[in-house]
């Protein structure tokens, strides 16, 4: 096969929009033999810090290019093999799917089992949003019905609309959410659909590959029942594990013949995908098309050869053999980044070629037209710059390696539309141009006319759009298309239906309405997000290399990144658990931020060159002074990674046993640490997860704040583990690249917890025990929610007089023939999984408080209320058990000094305050009498004389309701 470069060169080269041609020439020989991420990044780090590089390309250009590489590094860092080698992630995930073919678990054998034993996931959203929803790369149309449209998402699989784009349904929920680079429908049997996998647009440059998450191809998939089931067809022979796709084309009359454009050549099948032949192996092919009315003549556009030049290929025997006698190379200033082609349906002799330019090295190379079926071409124009960002075409920007598309009107061969960053139209065969990018999301991956009604459709970084006037006006079409690629999320402590999340390409979005609509409140690429500890109407996000503060529930925002501070992309953020306006940042440095960003502290107490917090940062809900942090420079089993702990709010990070990854039980070799989390009521119980494909090193936990460790990997599949979350009983849930798993604190192994959850990487998890829900952020399918694991009786019968507070639930039916009295304080709740049956003589008297509902067990309905604290024990609340009104009183700081616990309270609502000191089991050991406390900060003392050393809890009772909890170490 011609010019097949080694793994890393296929992975990386021509992907970086900020790298000029001289960088390609200089880096190519240095990267050729590098097959691991550490080896590649060592070359990159050295190159961009070299004085000769800085002198040649300039400091600013070097910094911009280097930052792109670091973004690319982020994703691969948790998806390499045991030695840091690059692997075909899609293939690995497909192998995991082979082990677990049936993701929808069979019906429980026990009649007492409930669905939430294995999860009962449903979509939260966004299924409607402002701005954009997520990247779509390819489109396809039903041959006769204009209302049936197919869309291929970069990470969300294949979607179908039967309503002309008004609503969408995912038809690939149970296969790995691969990048979709081609879709074709058999016109003789529209239930037969072929899909080419492998995210080619990411591989060849621009924004998204810089941010990672490129998905390699596992070949072509086919359904014969309209998407109910899918089968993997034959492999492409002779390809590397890093093959990706660009386009899939079906022969217009013989529908068993298909062509697949890949980075490893042009492949042809004559048996509907059972076997494939590489009919043209000269490099990378972007598109292929047949001459209208004459399928013996066909065209292909690609790039390759010894000088990596643009090629136009032509076949006169139906694609069996190809030649490139039309040398586009000599007509344009090669090399070019990418080319595309389109034929004119209304004039079979007309072919267009669009040639993109080298990014940051000049404008696009031009649009060419052939009037003789591709025998010769003439340049139509190469100005204005229709591939740039400015609406007048006056800039020299280009990201055509990432998105480049061309479409010709079905009725007029002179009407041409081009998509790059934005959309342009020519009605003069490309001699002149008009800007058509108003009202459509930037970054256009495909423009296509629906041949049934001639409407133009666009696949963009934000979703799907259409136009009936050739792009003058655009209509968005992504309702129900939940393809959001979330990095992180946070749930409001005041209302668990409200949440914020950071997305690739689509900034920061918030949900404040309780439905599936999310509002765009931040731009660029959103990463870490978090709510203020005290005022949940204030929140923060990391956007690329900036920090944004939002106020008024997202109605206002401002950049609070201080001047002269260079933050890394993917800087980790963790919110202070008790102080308003305070949070922490970590990457190659560690910073503490107070006063809403007005004051920044840089802490450098860690020995220089030691790994810091570039992997993960975690604060503790029950211990505001404890922080866990992980970082490292390499990502294989021999890499230098460090997990550490601070017990003074990050002011110091001691060595010795505080380097937790050196302590007994921790793996001696480990890949990247992807997440750290703690039991919300016990910061000593800490868990960590690992990325990569190092079998058996997946999850570890400690019960003594990291001094000793236990391997919790069990029988987990060998896939990256992205996140972990604990409930207040130390039951663990993990998010992986193939769904969610649960482990009980009393059981040694993991069980699947992904019923109804799409097969998609889960990047973040949040538990809210007040409503008994777990929420999952995914990279490609939005945010989902499920009941927590909740066993309960199948049926229950209730009779007699009911008075006071009563709660009854069953997984199936609650049957009652009781009387709910009207006494003051009577509050009765009933919930059945199937129903609540009110059987005569049931009655609820006047002034009674009775409510019945249908829903799964253990999903809330009642809050903990205490009329006093005379009971011997109190239930330890956690971060997500704050009352709906917010924190009325909070423990801002707590220390043990001279046989007393000194508590600094921050009271937001004046009222009666009691402090209760309990041991770790919840037994009350000291209790202060009620005292009326005004709004503001107050210091109170709790006697701790004679108590045994250990961890205790200070609990705040405000107006007879538990409000907050913090740990205190008595010694």
């Amino acid at each position: 096969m011609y010019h097949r470069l080694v793994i890393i060169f296929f992975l990386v080269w021509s992907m970086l929009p900020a790298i000029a041609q001289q960088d390609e020439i200089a880096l190519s020989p240095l990267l050729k033999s590098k097959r691991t991420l550490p080896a590649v990044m060592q070359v990159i780090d050295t190159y961009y810090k070299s004085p000769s590089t800085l002198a040649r390309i300039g400091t600013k250009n070097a910094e911009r290019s280097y930052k792109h590489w670091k973004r690319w590094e982020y994703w691969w860092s948790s998806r390499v093999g045991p030695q840091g080698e690059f692997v075909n992630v899609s293939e690995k995930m497909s192998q995991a799917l082979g082990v677990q073919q049936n993701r929808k678990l069979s019906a429980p054998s026990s009649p007492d089992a409930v669905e939430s034993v294995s999860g009962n996931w449903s979509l939260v959203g966004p299924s409607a949003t402002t701005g954009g929803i997520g990247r779509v790369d390819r489109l396809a149309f039903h041959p006769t019905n204009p209302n049936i449209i197919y869309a291929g998402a970069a990470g969300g699989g294949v979607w179908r609309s039967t309503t002309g784009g008004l609503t969408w349904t995912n038809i690939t929920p149970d296969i790995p959410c691969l990048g979709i680079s081609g879709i074709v429908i058999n016109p003789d049997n529209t239930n037969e659909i072929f899909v080419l996998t492998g995210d080619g647009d990411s591989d060849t440059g621009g924004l998204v590959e810089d941010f990672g998450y490129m998905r390699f191809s596992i070949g072509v998939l086919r359904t014969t029942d309209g998407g109910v089931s899918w089968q993997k067809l034959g492999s492409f022979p002779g390809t590397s594990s890093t093959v990706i796709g660009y386009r899939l084309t079906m022969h217009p009359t013989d529908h068993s013949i298909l062509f697949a454009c890949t980075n490893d050549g042009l492949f042809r099948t004559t048996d509907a995908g059972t076997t494939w032949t590489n009919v043209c192996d000269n490099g990378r092919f972007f598109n292929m098309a047949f001459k209208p009315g004459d399928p013996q003549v066909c065209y292909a556009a690609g790039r390759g050869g010894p000088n990596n030049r643009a090629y136009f290929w032509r076949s006169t025997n139906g694609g069996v053999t190809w030649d490139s006698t039309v040398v586009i190379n000599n007509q344009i200033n090669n090399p070019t980044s990418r080319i595309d082609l389109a034929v004119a349906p209304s004039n079979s002799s007309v072919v267009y070629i669009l040639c993109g330019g080298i990014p940051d090295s000049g404008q696009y190379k031009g649009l060419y037209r052939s009037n003789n079926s591709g025998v010769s071409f003439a340049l139509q124009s190469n100005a204005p710059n229709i591939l740039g960002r400015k609406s007048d075409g006056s800039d020299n920007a280009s990201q055509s390696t990432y998105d480049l598309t061309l479409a010709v009107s079905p009725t007029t061969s002179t009407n041409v539309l081009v998509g790059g960053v934005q959309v342009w139209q020519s009605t003069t065969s490309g001699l002149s141009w008009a800007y058509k990018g108003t009202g459509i999301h930037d970054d256009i991956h495909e423009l296509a006319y629906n041949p049934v009604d001639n409407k133009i459709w666009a696949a963009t970084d934000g979703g799907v759009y259409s136009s009936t006037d050739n792009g003058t006006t655009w209509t968005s079409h992504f309702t129900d298309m939940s393809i959001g690629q979330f990095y992180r999320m946070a749930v409001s402590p005041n209302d668990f239906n409200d949440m914020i999340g950071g997305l690739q390409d689509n900034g920061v979005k918030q949900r404040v309405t309780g439905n599936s609509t999310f509002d765009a409140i931040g731009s660029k690429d959103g990463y870490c997000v978090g709510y203020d500890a005290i005022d949940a109407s204030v929140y923060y996000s990391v956007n690329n290399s900036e920090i944004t503060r939002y106020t008024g529930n997202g109605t206002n925002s401002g950049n609070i990144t201080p001047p002269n501070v260079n933050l890394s992309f993917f800087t980790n953020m963790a919110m202070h658990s008790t102080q308003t306006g305070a949070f922490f940042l970590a990457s190659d440095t560690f910073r503490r931020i107070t006063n809403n960003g007005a004051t920044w502290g840089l802490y450098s107490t860690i020995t220089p060159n030691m790994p810091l917090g570039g992997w993960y940062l975690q604060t503790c809900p029950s211990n505001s002074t404890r922080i866990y942090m992980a970082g490292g420079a390499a990502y294989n089993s021999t890499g230098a990674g460090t997990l550490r702990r601070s017990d003074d709010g990050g002011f110091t990070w001691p060595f010795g046993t505080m380097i937790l990854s050196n302590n007994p039980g921790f793996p001696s070799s480990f890949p990247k640490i992807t997440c750290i989390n703690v039991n919300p009521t016990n910061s000593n119980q800490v868990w960590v997860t690992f990325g990569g494909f190092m079998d058996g090193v997946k999850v570890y936990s400690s019960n003594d704040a990291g001094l000793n460790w236990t391997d919790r990997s069990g029988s987990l599949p060998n896939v990256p583990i992205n996140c972990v979350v604990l409930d207040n009983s130390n039951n663990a849930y993990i998010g992986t690249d193939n769904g969610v798993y649960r482990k009980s604190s009393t059981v040694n192994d993991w069980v699947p917890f992904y019923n109804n959850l799409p097969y998609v990487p889960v990047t973040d998890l949040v538990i809210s025990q007040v409503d008994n829900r777990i929420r999952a952020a995914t990279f490609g399918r939005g945010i989902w929610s499920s009941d927590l694991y909740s066993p309960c009786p199948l049926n229950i019968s209730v009779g007699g007089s009911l008075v006071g507070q009563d709660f009854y639930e069953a997984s199936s039916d609650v049957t009652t023939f009781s009387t709910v009295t009207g006494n003051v304080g009577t509050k009765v709740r009933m919930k059945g999984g199937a129903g609540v049956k009110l059987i005569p003589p049931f009655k609820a008297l006047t002034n009674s408080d009775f409510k019945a509902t249908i829903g799964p067990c253990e999903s809330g309905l009642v809050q903990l209320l205490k009329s006093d604290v005379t009971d011997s024990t109190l239930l330890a609340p956690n971060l997500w058990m704050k009352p709906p009104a917010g924190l009325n009183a909070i423990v801002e700081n707590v220390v043990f000094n001279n046989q007393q616990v000194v508590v600094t309270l921050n009271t937001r609502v004046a009222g009666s305050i009691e402090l209760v000191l309990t041991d770790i089991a919840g037994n009350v050991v000291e209790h202060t009498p009620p005292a009326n406390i005004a709004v503001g900060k107050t210091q109170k003392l709790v006697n701790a004389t004679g108590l045994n050393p250990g961890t205790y809890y200070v609990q705040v009772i405000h107006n007879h309701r538990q409000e907050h909890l913090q740990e205190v170490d008595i010694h």
Side-chain angles (χ1 to χ4, degrees), residues 247-252 259 261 266 286-292 294-301 312-315 318-319 322 340-344 351-352:
R247 301 279 179 168
L248 189 65
T249 306
M250 179 177 280
H251 193 284
F259 289 82
C261 295
L266 179 64
F286 300 112
N287 205 348
M288 181 268 175
F290 289 91
K291 178 179 178 178
D294 184 3
Q296 286 298 103
V297 178
C298 40
Y299 320 104
F312 173 79
W313 296 85
R314 190 171 184 271
S315 174
W322 295 81
D340 196 17
L341 66 82
V343 297
V351 185
Y352 287 93

Side-chain angles (χ1 to χ4, degrees), residues 570-649:
F570 294 112
T571 291
N572 288 299
M573 178 177 67
M575 304 307 299
H576 197 291
S577 60
T578 62
Q579 293 183 12
T580 187
F583 55 96
F584 306 93
L585 297 174
S587 55
D588 55 346
T589 57
F590 174 81
R591 291 179 170 89
R592 177 188 174 109
I593 295 86
T594 59
N595 301 327
N596 297 310
T599 305
W600 287 56
L602 175 62
Y603 297 94
S604 57
T605 57
I606 306 174
T607 301
N609 302 322
M610 286 295 290
L612 290 163
W615 288 355
Y616 209 83
L617 186 67
Q618 179 66 52
T619 53
C620 302
S622 64
N623 187 339
S624 62
T625 61
R626 177 166 287 172
I627 307 172
Y628 293 93
M629 181 168 67
Y635 311 105
N636 59 349
S637 60
T638 59
T642 301
L643 173 67
R644 48 171 41 95
R645 188 184 89 216
S646 172
D647 285 342
D648 59 4

Side-chain angles (χ1 to χ4, degrees), residues 427-465:
T427 58
T428 59
S429 301
L431 298 176
S432 59
W433 295 94
Y435 176 77
K436 298 292 183 177
T438 302
I440 187 172
H441 197 286
D442 284 356
D443 303 328
I444 317 300
H445 292 269
E446 182 168 19
L447 292 168
Y449 283 93
N450 190 326
V452 181
D453 61 3
N454 297 334
K455 181 188 291 188
I456 186 72
W457 291 78
T460 80
D461 267 8
V464 177
Y465 291 77

